[in-house]
Amino acid sequence: DAKTTQPPSMDCAEGRAANLPCNHSTISGNEYVYWYRQIHSQGPQYIIHGLKNNETNEMASLIITEDRKSSTLILPHATLRDTAVYYCIVIRDNYGQNFVFGPGTRLSVLP
Amino acid sequence: DAGITQSPRHKVTETGTPVTLRCHQTENHRYMYWYRQDPGHGLRLIHYSYGVKDTDKGEVSDGYSVSRSKTEDFLLTLESATSSQTSVYFCAISEMPNVLTFGAGSRLTVL
C-alpha cells in the first residue's frame, strides 16, 4: 500500500475552511484515499474516501488531483470541535487488515 | 460510539495476571478488529475477525489472543499481562471495506 505524507500540524481560524493536504505519489490505480480523524482520547472517526473523483459528504470534501498523487481534505467551515488529528490513508479495497494509521496532521481550530 | 461498546473502559492490573477486554456490537457487522495506540507508534492492528470463529493476526499480535464465538462479541485476552502492554485499546467494526467504526477505547495499565 502507498505511503502518505502529511504536515505534522496546521492551524485554522474558526469559521474558515480548513484544507488538509496529503501526498501519495506512489499510489496505485486500485488504491483508494481514505480520511479519518481522531479527536483527543476518542476512537478514530471515518470522514470520507475516494478513488479518483472528488467526493463530498456532510462532513467534508475530498479533492484528488488528476494524477492522483495528492489530495486535499476540506472542512468548509471549521469549528472548535474539528480540532483533531487527521489521518490520510491510501489502501486497496480490503477490510482493514492493512489499515495503517501514520502520525497524521494535528489540526488546531483557533477562536 | 453508537452500536459498539468496549468494556472495561479503564483497568489497572499487575504484571503476570490475565486480562480480557470485551468488544460488543449491535450492528451485525461481519468484521471486527482490535488495535492498540501508543505514543510514537500510532494505531497498530493486533488481531481481526472476519466472521464467527474466523480470526487472524495483525501487526502486533504477540502476547495477545482473541475469540469470537458470536457475531456481536470479540474478546481480546492478554494471558499474562506485561508492562509493555500498557496502552489504549480500540475495537473497531466494519461492513464496508475500510470504513471502520471505532469504540471509545479501553485504557489498560499494567504495573
Side-chain angles (χ1 to χ4, degrees), chain A residues 18-20 35-37 45-49 54-63 72-78 82 86 107:
Chain A
N19 297 280
L20 294 98
W35 283 85
Y36 279 73
R37 73 179 182 183
Q45 176 189 24
Y46 166 79
I47 301 173
I48 198 168
H49 74 281
N54 298 337
E55 302 287 345
T56 295
N57 63 19
E58 65 278 4
M59 290 183 66
S61 295
L62 173 60
I63 308 297
T72 301
L73 178 74
I74 301 172
L75 308 178
H77 305 286
D82 292 321
Y86 287 77
L107 174 69

Side-chain angles (χ1 to χ4, degrees), chain A residues 34 36 38 92-93 95 97, chain B residues 33 37 45 48 97-98 100:
Chain A
Y34 282 79
Y36 279 73
Q38 186 172 23
R92 290 186 303 270
D93 192 12
Y95 288 90
Q97 298 94 310
Chain B
Y33 313 84
Q37 186 169 34
L45 181 64
Y48 65 96
N98 296 319
L100 278 63

Side-chain angles (χ1 to χ4, degrees), chain B residues 18-95:
Chain B
V19 175
T20 296
L21 305 180
R22 180 187 185 225
C23 179
H24 178 78
Q25 61 148 330
T26 58
E27 304 295 325
N28 201 35
H29 285 182
R30 178 181 176 187
Y31 299 88
M32 299 185 75
Y33 313 84
W34 277 107
Y35 283 83
R36 62 178 288 175
Q37 186 169 34
D38 307 288
H41 290 280
L43 279 143
R44 293 179 292 174
L45 181 64
I46 305 172
H47 282 279
Y48 65 96
S49 169
Y50 44 96
V52 173
K53 298 192 189 314
D54 292 323
T55 65
D56 207 345
K57 296 178 180 179
E59 178 188 0
V60 290
S61 60
D62 288 348
Y64 302 94
S65 62
V66 290
S67 66
R68 191 167 178 202
S69 58
K70 299 184 292 184
T71 299
E72 57 265 35
D73 288 326
F74 193 31
L75 304 180
L76 178 70
T77 297
L78 292 65
E79 299 291 347
S80 178
T82 66
S83 59
S84 65
Q85 294 175 310
T86 292
S87 187
V88 180
Y89 292 85
F90 288 102
C91 175
I93 62 176
S94 73
E95 194 62 36

Side-chain angles (χ1 to χ4, degrees), chain A residues 18-72:
Chain A
N19 297 280
L20 294 98
C22 180
N23 286 319
H24 32 79
S25 59
T26 61
I27 191 170
S28 301
N30 61 351
E31 289 181 319
Y32 289 73
V33 181
Y34 282 79
W35 283 85
Y36 279 73
R37 73 179 182 183
Q38 186 172 23
I39 297 170
H40 179 63
S41 78
Q42 298 181 20
Q45 176 189 24
Y46 166 79
I47 301 173
I48 198 168
H49 74 281
L51 182 61
K52 53 184 177 182
N53 297 322
N54 298 337
E55 302 287 345
T56 295
N57 63 19
E58 65 278 4
M59 290 183 66
S61 295
L62 173 60
I63 308 297
I64 302 174
T65 58
E66 191 169 345
D67 64 7
R68 304 210 319 126
K69 293 184 177 182
S70 66
S71 60
T72 301

